[in-house]
Amino acid sequence: MNKPLLIGIIDDDEIYQFTLTRIISRYKLANKTLSFFDGEKAIEYLTDNISIEENIPDVIFLDNNMPIMDGWQFIEEYAKMETKIKKKVLIFMVSSSVDPNDIERANKTNQISDYFIKPVSIDDINGVFDNLEKYI
């Protein structure tokens, strides 16, 4: 995969969103970043743009614990629409949860490429983008 053009951040933590967006911008890791404060808004966006490939994020950083629709609920809804999306979307779950059950569940979920524990470092983010090919 070449450099992602569009990155989605789904997280209810405004500071985390700001920080991750700044890192992506500063290191020119993508052309554009989309931000959503819960999974429901992200699913609405994906549904509205499902047939417009360039509007679908190449990479999504997904929080696990959010109000309205959490990361697991997002994955359930995403799985229903995945076959209609005409590109591979890499989803990385980013959570403050160190619960082994969450990590094991993420590892067993086909839609999740990897699981990171907050706070993520610049090295973690760069590692994702330096190794995108291994996640495809």
Side-chain angles (χ1 to χ4, degrees), residues 17-105:
Q17 275 202 23
F18 175 80
T19 303
L20 187 54
T21 301
R22 294 283 295 192
I23 290 170
I24 291 167
S25 175
R26 179 174 183 168
Y27 291 95
K28 299 180 174 43
L29 300 173
N31 292 341
K32 186 176 178 185
T33 304
L34 302 171
S35 296
F36 306 95
F37 287 102
D38 66 76
E40 185 175 87
K41 293 292 184 198
I43 289 294
E44 287 173 9
Y45 172 85
L46 292 174
T47 301
D48 292 344
N49 290 279
I50 200 162
S51 62
I52 308 169
E53 188 175 327
E54 62 268 17
N55 287 354
I56 301 296
D58 301 288
V59 174
I60 294 175
F61 291 99
L62 173 67
D63 187 16
N64 178 358
N65 300 309
M66 296 178 287
I68 302 174
M69 178 185 281
D70 67 22
W72 298 117
Q73 292 167 318
F74 171 86
I75 290 295
E76 288 174 17
E77 293 302 315
Y78 177 82
K80 294 175 188 174
M81 68 171 54
E82 187 176 22
T83 58
K84 297 176 187 166
I85 295 174
K86 295 180 173 72
K87 70 193 299 188
K88 174 69 177 167
V89 178
L90 300 176
I91 300 175
F92 296 92
M93 186 165 272
V94 181
S95 178
S96 57
S97 172
V98 294
D99 184 339
N101 293 324
D102 282 338
I103 297 168
E104 183 178 339
R105 183 177 176 187

Side-chain angles (χ1 to χ4, degrees), residues 1-2 4 59 90 92 127-136:
M1 175 182 273
N2 295 327
V59 174
L90 300 176
F92 296 92
V128 165
F129 291 104
D130 288 344
N131 297 296
L132 282 177
E133 298 293 334
K134 88 172 193 181
Y135 294 109
I136 295 175

